[in-house]
Amino acid sequence: MKKYRVTFLPAHKSIEVAEGTSIAQAAQRTEIHINNLCGGEGVCGECKVQVLKGAVKTDAGPSAFFSKEQLEKGFVLACQSKITEDLEVEIPPESRLEGEQIMTGEAPADVQGGVSPEQRPESPIYSLKPLVRKIYLELPPPTLQDNITDIERVSRELRKKIGWHSFEISLPCLQHLSDTLRDYDWKITVTVVKDRGRYRIQKIEPLDTSSRNFGLAVDVGTTTVVAQLVDLKTGRVLGVEGTHNLQAQWGADVISRMVFACTKDGLHPLHEAVVKNIHSLIESLAKKSTVPAEDIHAIVAAGNTTMSHFLLGLTPCNIRLEPYVPTADVYPQILAGEIGIRINPRGVLETLPSVASYVGGDIVAGIVASGIADQPQVQGLIDIGTNGEIAIGNKEWLVCCSASAGPSFEGGGTRCGMRATKGAIEKVEISNGKVSYQTIGRARPLGICGSGLIDLIYELKRNGIIGSDGKFDRGRSDPRLTFEDNVPQYVIAQAAETETGEPVVFTEPDIANLIKSKGSIFAAIKSLIDYTGLSFDQLETFYVAGGFGNYLSVPKAVAIGLLPDIPKEKIKFIGNSSLTGARMALTSEEAFEKCLHVSRSMTNVELSNYPPYMDEYIAALFLPHTDRRLFPSVKD
Amino acid sequence: MKKYRVTFLPAHKSIEVAEGTSIAQAAQRTEIHINNLCGGEGVCGECKVQVLKGAVKTDAGPSAFFSKEQLEKGFVLACQSKITEDLEVEIPPESRLEGEQIMTGEAPADVQGGVSPEQRPESPIYSLKPLVRKIYLELPPPTLQDNITDIERVSRELRKKIGWHSFEISLPCLQHLSDTLRDYDWKITVTVVKDRGRYRIQKIEPLDTSSRNFGLAVDVGTTTVVAQLVDLKTGRVLGVEGTHNLQAQWGADVISRMVFACTKDGLHPLHEAVVKNIHSLIESLAKKSTVPAEDIHAIVAAGNTTMSHFLLGLTPCNIRLEPYVPTADVYPQILAGEIGIRINPRGVLETLPSVASYVGGDIVAGIVASGIADQPQVQGLIDIGTNGEIAIGNKEWLVCCSASAGPSFEGGGTRCGMRATKGAIEKVEISNGKVSYQTIGRARPLGICGSGLIDLIYELKRNGIIGSDGKFDRGRSDPRLTFEDNVPQYVIAQAAETETGEPVVFTEPDIANLIKSKGSIFAAIKSLIDYTGLSFDQLETFYVAGGFGNYLSVPKAVAIGLLPDIPKEKIKFIGNSSLTGARMALTSEEAFEKCLHVSRSMTNVELSNYPPYMDEYIAALFLPHTDRRLFPSVKD
């Protein structure tokens, strides 16, 4: 088979690949990350590249993703272009996967409505009882009057420290116990791991090493993977790092990755990608904190059901296909080494339990982090991404559901939509025909991210540029309202202002997509409230979790009918509550127990089997809603 | 270092060894097993060999173990003779470790008082719930109305079969679950292992393999290792094999081996020896039954505390030294492969729990096998070897103790004593000056084994040849009563009758040793009875376990004061109850639970800390006893 060389600009990385390889695959091998929302199907248009030298073979006809000028300049979709000769390829900034805002922590204080668990007065206080404890013991040596076995002597002393339990022990530990005790004057440090109802002695070391005990809380998100390094002796967070989920190579959304995972040998690379992500996080955390990976004894990971399956190397294929069956929703505690994660060789990995195919451990973690399951008041939690997961309940009961929101909020499905990375327009204001916007990193605009789109649709409506049905007022005289093939579009940034030299626009079909997304989310919230027999005003708090939520303007989200019209102070950002919950489960066995309890007791309402949902969805395809009584505070 | 060649006859095996190697060590390396009761200390006289060509260097002076004639013929102790030139060495039959009677099963029906668990009407009936179960499931495929996770579907069906439990699962099992279910039409066989309170799914196979599930019950004795192969689906015993404990190379008794194990790197070879023993048993059982080792999923081993430590590779050093502390008395369930035992890779090994340093899992097994812990009546159990372990109790309470009996009953410590192997005199009768005896294998006599010694001392006393103090009536005119260096001895077999051409004799010091042994055992029984506040007549049954017990004449054992003088029908042989108990624990989780319960609840009376014991011992150094009221049925 013939081989050709491809050189990527501006990185000046080059690679030799076999004939027929796609540009996207070639880029992947040089570790250049190109947007890939649809997983290489050629339908999202996010992987545009410019072929500077050479020509490619494309199966698809001329794409609707390009202007005539772009086509002339050699723009192609990287995933659809096969290499048949040597190439030089420029990857434009909007196609690069870099510099994204990663929600690494709890809600920052400077964000509107932001609330960290420590600030919440009603926050459940879980005591510091980490998943893995290192306990220093000075044992009384045996005498004729007190000659219980060595392991019983250790257990007896452990019970004084951590309560009455039986302690299991692995054979290698037991084999070294007697000599270690006697060689070190009965001074040892015992590593005890909690595993469901049991305590297991995992390691016995001479003398006092109890201060060398660290853990990792990981949020395995579809887009990003974030980890906190925690000192398990004190509970203190030593550092936090985030990185892009390397699985993005196989698609930005969960479904694309599942499709790939179900092809022959497809699961392994996706599993390996998460492991590699976690490795790189451990590496940078270890470097910055000077804690060696060897001293990390526990990892608690939270992710949606599919991510949890990928992490553990479980096939997610049956989650996607009717009747939507995961392999497991409660996952066994394993040695991290079993899936190739290099921490202490006896270090364990817990994956927080899921509730259903589309309500995962990240939501369970969020419920525990928010304290919903500990309070008598009814509260809600929403995490908006490609799916919107919603949970409502209190310490007595919990219900949840999941709705597919489509890619709009993450920058897909709209002409100039993009992820929340550098150059994305994140805020927009329109006043008297004047548009002002703000981009991430204060860079020249490349496109619009989710929060920008919410702003935009709100501003367009407020200014009467679009109606409640999301259609442009075509009779309006506005230089920014233009038409392309008779499709109206609104220009937010003129060609001259942008990084690409192309205008950033918002088309009528874009608006329709966004209304569908917000409609599906609101319909889910409404359906769940109705399912419980409650009304919105009975919600004491409505927590908004996750990266998207964090940059959202609450009044605008309510005004377009995405979030329910309840008093604004009741809507609170909770940040990366998946990570917070994972850290709580890592540092407190009570919090871990609570996660298990939530996963077991929460009722999942399957919206596809819940007839009222479709009616709610249709009713929500308006700005803010067909039933205006649901949004009393929103003015026309 | 110089090397010399040693050739052993009659096997004609030869080996080259370094100068200074002992003959015993050289023999060991050629896999010729020589008696070694004292562990190479030169004090038992059991390793006599004849040097036919060449000469050896001996540190010790001329030994009392040899007649003048033997010394002239070149007899030496193999363990005390260093090789300094090429040798040819004959190993006489009495020094070979072969053809020993191994108690492989329950008490045979033809033995007096023999009783198998099946015959005992009061026997506890434990239901067939093996440690490892293979359960065939035909699962209903999921539907939209019934779309629980795959593992929950399996657990739900398992609960219908084996009751309500949570089931843990290993990651590799979980990783293959979904595909196996769907590839094989939801027909699978699940291997479930019980581990204390938990059930673990150890393996998931396509279709019905439930009939391929076998287990091994092993009695790890100091002298012999015996194994039964059991079909875990039916509970049927498929075969039984016994072999000599290969640790005999390092001493016949437990103490000698402990001493060796506590030298540098001494533990490993002793651990390896047991593992090798079990391998050879698996091999021969597998061959005869055509069950592949791969289909063995569980092993339950019972042994004394030291043997259990050796089996698991735990140091027994602190058992031997004050304050006598074992590493553990309850042992973790492990994968058999962890200690190198090759059965199914997921197959487990359970070691039955001990009670104290000198009351091990073999006694716990015996108590469960006998049903003592299940009955309201007070019953007793004794296992006589180098130690005598005694337990008394009922379903409410249990007490036990252990007394050192010395090597007499196993053929050590007496001039012509030998193990119960071919050529050993096992029965003796003296009537009107005429001696008749019976040897094992009806061979020409080589020596006297334990049961023969009991017979002999009884017959000598009954015929007035010795008195109650064990001294010969020196005035008696009896051609068999001879003197060597003024020490009286009784000739049982004349030189002309024996295999060796040496007479088989019983000396006055031999009798003194035997009386000490029987005295220590009886004193222990008496002390334990007194400790409980009971009297002998309150014992409903007194079980005699083990190889020695099995060939014992009860009336004679009572008459010499070894066993208590209770109605003879109350004394019952129970055979290898360690093996029986191990098999019960293998096939019934209730029996296993009972073993754990017995080990936790039985009170061990430490005789060395129990002042009355020494008085009882002194009082018992008589035939039958100084207090004749304890033996009302015994006539002078």
Side-chain angles (χ1 to χ4, degrees):
Chain A
M1 184 170 274
K2 286 182 185 167
K3 295 215 163 193
Y4 300 104
R5 178 157 295 275
V6 187
T7 305
F8 291 101
L9 300 178
H12 284 289
K13 283 188 179 177
S14 88
I15 190 169
E16 205 175 70
V17 294
E19 183 170 20
T21 306
S22 75
I23 292 179
Q25 289 165 334
Q28 187 177 307
R29 285 188 215 151
T30 58
E31 303 221 326
I32 290 171
H33 302 307
I34 297 185
N35 281 332
N36 182 16
L37 269 178
C38 67
E41 299 286 315
V43 297
C44 73
E46 296 291 317
C47 63
K48 287 171 196 147
V49 295
Q50 188 179 6
V51 179
L52 302 177
K53 283 187 195 162
V56 297
K57 199 178 151 228
T58 308
D59 293 334
S63 169
F65 293 109
F66 301 102
S67 65
K68 209 177 154 189
E69 197 187 343
Q70 283 178 320
L71 288 172
E72 280 166 8
K73 282 184 181 167
F75 276 88
V76 294
L77 293 180
C79 69
Q80 298 298 307
S81 304
K82 305 242 182 291
I83 295 161
T84 52
E85 57 188 89
D86 287 355
L87 297 180
E88 196 171 288
V89 177
E90 170 92 23
I91 303 172
E94 69 270 27
S95 296
R96 280 176 228 149
L97 199 58
E98 62 185 358
E100 190 159 345
Q101 291 181 341
I102 296 179
M103 163 79 14
T104 53
E106 284 92 286
D110 62 347
V111 168
Q112 168 209 19
V115 59
S116 77
E118 289 72 17
Q119 292 171 310
R120 269 179 291 116
E122 74 278 35
S123 159
I125 304 302
Y126 292 115
S127 56
L128 182 67
K129 287 183 189 168
L131 182 62
V132 174
R133 287 188 249 189
K134 286 184 84 169
I135 298 163
Y136 174 61
L137 300 176
E138 295 187 358
L139 300 166
T143 63
L144 269 180
Q145 286 66 46
D146 173 29
N147 61 356
I148 55 174
T149 62
D150 288 336
I151 180 62
E152 257 308 297
R153 184 168 304 273
V154 171
S155 299
R156 185 173 68 183
E157 217 62 20
L158 280 178
R159 286 182 191 120
K160 293 180 189 167
K161 304 258 182 178
I162 60 177
W164 203 97
H165 304 291
S166 299
F167 297 97
E168 296 177 9
I169 186 164
S170 68
L171 186 63
C173 278
L174 200 57
Q175 286 173 332
H176 294 108
L177 175 61
S178 292
D179 288 345
T180 306
L181 285 173
R182 287 165 182 82
D183 292 348
Y184 294 91
D185 197 23
W186 303 88
K187 296 184 174 80
I188 55 168
T189 301
V190 182
T191 304
V192 179
V193 180
K194 178 89 189 284
D195 182 8
R196 307 300 184 267
R198 315 194 307 274
Y199 291 83
R200 193 173 54 244
I201 296 175
Q202 199 84 332
K203 200 162 74 168
I204 291 185
E205 294 167 292
L207 307 175
D208 189 357
T209 66
S210 63
S211 62
R212 281 171 32 209
N213 187 24
F214 302 90
L216 206 68
V218 185
D219 165 43
V220 184
T222 306
T223 310
T224 57
V225 182
V226 186
Q228 280 183 342
L229 180 68
V230 184
D231 183 337
L232 296 181
K233 194 173 189 180
T234 62
R236 212 162 57 89
V237 176
L238 302 180
V240 58
E241 291 284 331
T243 181
H244 293 288
N245 190 323
L246 289 169
Q247 293 178 336
Q249 299 165 17
W250 295 278
D253 65 293
V254 166
I255 297 292
S256 311
R257 296 182 203 168
M258 284 164 111
V259 171
F260 182 82
C262 302
T263 59
K264 189 168 153 31
D265 301 326
L267 176 59
H268 188 69
L270 284 153
H271 165 65
E272 285 291 291
V274 196
V275 170
K276 206 171 162 187
N277 270 133
I278 295 177
H279 269 158
S280 77
L281 293 172
I282 291 174
E283 212 164 273
S284 42
L285 284 165
K287 210 169 178 180
K288 289 186 188 170
S289 63
T290 71
V291 167
E294 168 75 24
D295 284 345
I296 299 177
H297 288 90
I299 299 178
V300 173
N304 66 45
T305 307
T306 302
M307 285 301 132
S308 300
H309 275 58
F310 280 139
L311 173 63
L312 293 174
L314 306 175
T315 176
C317 294
N318 306 299
I319 296 177
R320 192 174 62 89
L321 304 169
E322 200 182 297
Y324 318 114
V325 176
T327 300
D329 48 21
V330 178
Y331 310 98
Q333 183 183 96
I334 62 169
L335 290 177
E338 283 187 71
I339 54 166
I341 296 180
R342 294 180 299 272
I343 53 173
N344 185 286
R346 307 298 303 161
V348 296
L349 170 81
E350 284 277 11
T351 307
L352 289 184
S354 308
V355 176
S357 286
Y358 291 102
V359 181
D362 50 350
I363 300 304
V364 168
I367 288 171
V368 171
S370 65
I372 291 178
D374 299 279
Q375 306 298 332
Q377 313 92 304
V378 177
Q379 302 184 94
L381 174 80
I382 186 165
D383 189 342
I384 304 174
T386 326
N387 278 311
E389 293 110 343
I390 301 139
I392 293 174
N394 62 11
K395 65 180 185 177
E396 305 287 339
W397 56 266
L398 288 161
V399 295
C400 64
C401 68
S402 172
S404 170
S408 305
F409 297 127
E410 302 202 317
T414 51
R415 173 80 167 272
C416 293
M418 67 178 287
R419 299 259 197 100
T421 60
K422 195 178 166 193
I425 294 173
E426 54 171 350
K427 284 184 183 169
V428 183
E429 248 187 67
I430 304 175
S431 189
N432 300 322
K434 281 194 178 168
V435 174
S436 51
Y437 57 79
Q438 181 184 309
T439 61
I440 294 173
R442 304 293 185 269
R444 286 169 78 92
L446 282 167
I448 322 169
C449 67
S451 61
L453 290 171
I454 305 264
D455 271 23
L456 190 52
I457 206 165
Y458 168 81
E459 295 290 329
L460 290 174
K461 169 85 188 329
R462 190 174 64 90
N463 285 276
I465 303 168
I466 59 172
S468 293
D469 57 358
K471 304 286 183 202
F472 280 102
D473 174 7
R474 296 189 177 214
R476 187 182 180 89
S477 160
D478 187 328
R480 287 180 180 266
L481 181 62
T482 62
F483 291 84
E484 203 179 285
D485 294 337
N486 208 29
V487 175
Q489 61 184 24
Y490 194 80
V491 179
I492 303 107
Q494 306 290 356
E497 303 163 31
T498 68
E499 178 72 23
T500 56
E502 297 281 327
V504 174
V505 299
F506 194 40
T507 69
E508 205 168 77
D510 288 349
I511 297 171
N513 278 338
L514 208 71
I515 289 179
K516 282 182 200 163
S517 294
K518 78 95 193 168
S520 71
I521 297 285
F522 183 80
I525 303 172
K526 178 70 167 45
S527 298
L528 204 60
I529 280 284
D530 289 348
Y531 178 89
T532 64
L534 297 170
S535 57
F536 284 123
D537 55 11
Q538 286 171 291
L539 275 183
E540 181 76 15
T541 322
F542 198 62
Y543 291 106
V544 180
F548 173 67
N550 216 54
Y551 299 95
L552 199 65
S553 155
V554 168
K556 294 179 187 176
V558 171
I560 69 162
L562 170 62
L563 296 180
D565 191 8
I566 61 176
K568 304 293 175 287
E569 65 276 13
K570 287 189 171 184
I571 298 178
K572 294 183 182 172
F573 295 128
I574 195 174
N576 190 338
S577 57
S578 169
L579 184 65
T580 307
R583 193 196 65 225
M584 289 166 74
L586 173 69
T587 53
S588 172
E589 56 183 57
E590 293 151 20
F592 196 97
E593 277 303 312
K594 184 66 79 173
C595 288
L596 286 171
H597 172 76
V598 167
S599 98
R600 276 192 302 262
S601 61
M602 185 147 63
T603 302
N604 177 51
V605 179
E606 195 70 70
L607 294 181
S608 56
N609 281 341
Y610 187 71
Y613 175 68
M614 191 42 75
D615 296 335
E616 290 294 345
Y617 173 64
I618 301 292
L621 294 179
F622 243 66
L623 297 172
H625 197 273
T626 50
D627 183 357
R628 291 303 306 263
R629 286 167 304 177
L630 288 170
F631 289 84
S633 83
V634 179
K635 296 178 205 118
D636 270 328
Chain B
M1 183 169 274
K2 286 183 185 168
K3 296 216 163 193
Y4 300 104
R5 177 157 293 276
V6 187
T7 305
F8 291 101
L9 300 177
H12 284 288
K13 283 187 179 180
S14 89
I15 191 170
E16 205 176 66
V17 294
E19 183 170 20
T21 306
S22 77
I23 292 179
Q25 289 165 333
Q28 188 177 305
R29 283 186 217 152
T30 58
E31 303 222 324
I32 290 171
H33 303 306
I34 298 184
N35 281 332
N36 183 16
L37 269 178
C38 67
E41 299 286 316
V43 297
C44 73
E46 295 291 318
C47 63
K48 289 171 194 147
V49 295
Q50 187 179 6
V51 179
L52 301 177
K53 286 188 193 162
V56 296
K57 198 176 152 228
T58 307
D59 291 337
S63 168
F65 292 110
F66 302 102
S67 66
K68 208 175 153 190
E69 199 188 342
Q70 282 179 321
L71 289 172
E72 282 165 6
K73 283 183 180 168
F75 276 88
V76 294
L77 292 180
C79 69
Q80 298 298 307
S81 305
K82 305 239 182 292
I83 296 160
T84 52
E85 57 188 88
D86 287 355
L87 296 180
E88 196 171 289
V89 177
E90 169 94 21
I91 303 172
E94 69 270 27
S95 295
R96 280 178 229 148
L97 199 57
E98 60 184 0
E100 190 159 344
Q101 293 182 339
I102 295 178
M103 163 79 13
T104 53
E106 284 91 283
D110 63 347
V111 168
Q112 168 208 21
V115 59
S116 75
E118 288 71 18
Q119 292 171 312
R120 272 178 289 117
E122 74 278 36
S123 159
I125 305 302
Y126 292 115
S127 55
L128 182 67
K129 286 183 189 169
L131 181 62
V132 175
R133 287 190 248 189
K134 286 184 84 168
I135 298 164
Y136 174 61
L137 300 177
E138 294 186 359
L139 300 166
T143 62
L144 269 178
Q145 286 65 46
D146 173 29
N147 62 355
I148 55 174
T149 64
D150 288 336
I151 180 62
E152 256 309 297
R153 184 168 304 273
V154 171
S155 298
R156 184 175 67 184
E157 217 60 21
L158 280 178
R159 286 182 191 119
K160 293 181 189 167
K161 305 257 183 178
I162 60 177
W164 205 98
H165 304 290
S166 298
F167 298 96
E168 296 178 9
I169 185 165
S170 68
L171 186 62
C173 277
L174 200 56
Q175 286 174 332
H176 293 109
L177 175 61
S178 291
D179 288 345
T180 306
L181 284 173
R182 287 166 182 81
D183 291 350
Y184 293 92
D185 198 22
W186 303 87
K187 297 185 173 80
I188 55 167
T189 301
V190 182
T191 304
V192 179
V193 180
K194 178 89 190 282
D195 183 7
R196 305 302 182 266
R198 312 194 309 274
Y199 292 83
R200 191 171 55 245
I201 296 174
Q202 200 82 331
K203 201 161 74 166
I204 291 185
E205 294 166 293
L207 307 176
D208 188 357
T209 65
S210 62
S211 60
R212 280 166 37 204
N213 186 24
F214 302 91
L216 206 69
V218 186
D219 165 44
V220 184
T222 307
T223 309
T224 57
V225 182
V226 186
Q228 279 183 342
L229 180 67
V230 184
D231 182 336
L232 295 181
K233 192 171 188 182
T234 61
R236 213 161 58 88
V237 176
L238 302 181
V240 57
E241 291 284 329
T243 181
H244 294 288
N245 190 325
L246 290 168
Q247 293 178 334
Q249 301 165 17
W250 295 279
D253 65 292
V254 166
I255 297 293
S256 312
R257 297 182 203 169
M258 282 163 110
V259 169
F260 182 84
C262 301
T263 59
K264 189 168 150 34
D265 301 326
L267 176 59
H268 189 69
L270 284 154
H271 165 65
E272 285 292 292
V274 196
V275 171
K276 207 170 160 186
N277 270 132
I278 294 176
H279 269 160
S280 77
L281 292 173
I282 291 174
E283 212 164 274
S284 40
L285 284 166
K287 211 169 174 178
K288 288 187 189 169
S289 63
T290 69
V291 168
E294 167 75 22
D295 284 344
I296 299 177
H297 289 90
I299 300 177
V300 173
N304 65 46
T305 307
T306 303
M307 285 301 132
S308 299
H309 275 57
F310 280 140
L311 173 64
L312 293 175
L314 306 175
T315 175
C317 294
N318 306 299
I319 295 177
R320 192 174 63 88
L321 305 168
E322 203 182 293
Y324 318 115
V325 176
T327 300
D329 49 20
V330 179
Y331 310 98
Q333 182 183 96
I334 62 169
L335 289 177
E338 283 188 71
I339 55 168
I341 295 181
R342 293 181 298 273
I343 53 172
N344 185 286
R346 306 299 303 162
V348 297
L349 170 81
E350 284 277 11
T351 308
L352 289 184
S354 306
V355 176
S357 286
Y358 292 102
V359 181
D362 50 350
I363 301 303
V364 169
I367 287 171
V368 171
S370 65
I372 291 176
D374 298 280
Q375 306 297 332
Q377 313 93 307
V378 177
Q379 303 183 91
L381 173 80
I382 186 166
D383 188 343
I384 305 175
T386 326
N387 278 311
E389 294 111 342
I390 301 140
I392 293 174
N394 62 11
K395 65 178 186 178
E396 306 286 338
W397 55 267
L398 289 161
V399 296
C400 64
C401 69
S402 172
S404 171
S408 304
F409 297 128
E410 302 204 318
T414 52
R415 174 77 168 274
C416 294
M418 67 179 286
R419 300 261 196 96
T421 60
K422 196 178 167 192
I425 294 174
E426 55 170 350
K427 285 186 183 168
V428 183
E429 251 189 65
I430 304 174
S431 187
N432 301 323
K434 281 193 177 167
V435 174
S436 52
Y437 56 80
Q438 181 185 309
T439 61
I440 294 174
R442 305 290 186 272
R444 288 169 77 91
L446 283 166
I448 322 170
C449 68
S451 61
L453 290 171
I454 305 264
D455 270 23
L456 190 53
I457 209 165
Y458 168 80
E459 294 290 329
L460 291 174
K461 170 87 190 328
R462 190 174 65 88
N463 285 276
I465 303 168
I466 59 172
S468 290
D469 56 0
K471 303 288 184 203
F472 280 103
D473 174 6
R474 295 189 176 215
R476 188 180 177 90
S477 158
D478 188 329
R480 287 181 181 265
L481 182 60
T482 62
F483 291 84
E484 201 179 284
D485 295 337
N486 208 30
V487 175
Q489 60 184 28
Y490 193 80
V491 179
I492 301 108
Q494 305 290 357
E497 302 164 32
T498 67
E499 179 71 24
T500 57
E502 297 281 329
V504 173
V505 300
F506 195 40
T507 70
E508 205 168 76
D510 288 349
I511 296 170
N513 277 338
L514 208 69
I515 288 177
K516 282 181 197 162
S517 293
K518 78 95 194 168
S520 71
I521 296 286
F522 183 81
I525 303 172
K526 179 69 165 49
S527 298
L528 205 59
I529 280 285
D530 289 349
Y531 178 89
T532 63
L534 296 172
S535 58
F536 284 122
D537 56 12
Q538 287 170 290
L539 275 183
E540 182 76 15
T541 322
F542 198 62
Y543 292 105
V544 181
F548 173 66
N550 216 53
Y551 300 96
L552 198 67
S553 154
V554 168
K556 295 179 184 173
V558 171
I560 70 164
L562 170 63
L563 295 180
D565 191 7
I566 60 175
K568 304 296 174 285
E569 65 276 12
K570 288 188 169 185
I571 299 179
K572 294 181 184 173
F573 294 129
I574 196 176
N576 189 338
S577 57
S578 168
L579 185 64
T580 307
R583 193 197 63 223
M584 289 166 74
L586 174 68
T587 53
S588 173
E589 55 182 57
E590 292 152 20
F592 195 96
E593 277 303 311
K594 184 67 78 172
C595 288
L596 286 169
H597 171 78
V598 167
S599 98
R600 275 192 303 262
S601 61
M602 184 147 64
T603 303
N604 177 51
V605 179
E606 195 70 70
L607 293 180
S608 57
N609 281 341
Y610 187 71
Y613 176 69
M614 191 43 75
D615 297 336
E616 290 293 346
Y617 173 65
I618 301 293
L621 294 178
F622 244 67
L623 296 172
H625 197 273
T626 50
D627 183 358
R628 292 303 305 264
R629 285 168 304 176
L630 288 170
F631 289 85
S633 83
V634 178
K635 297 179 203 114
D636 269 329

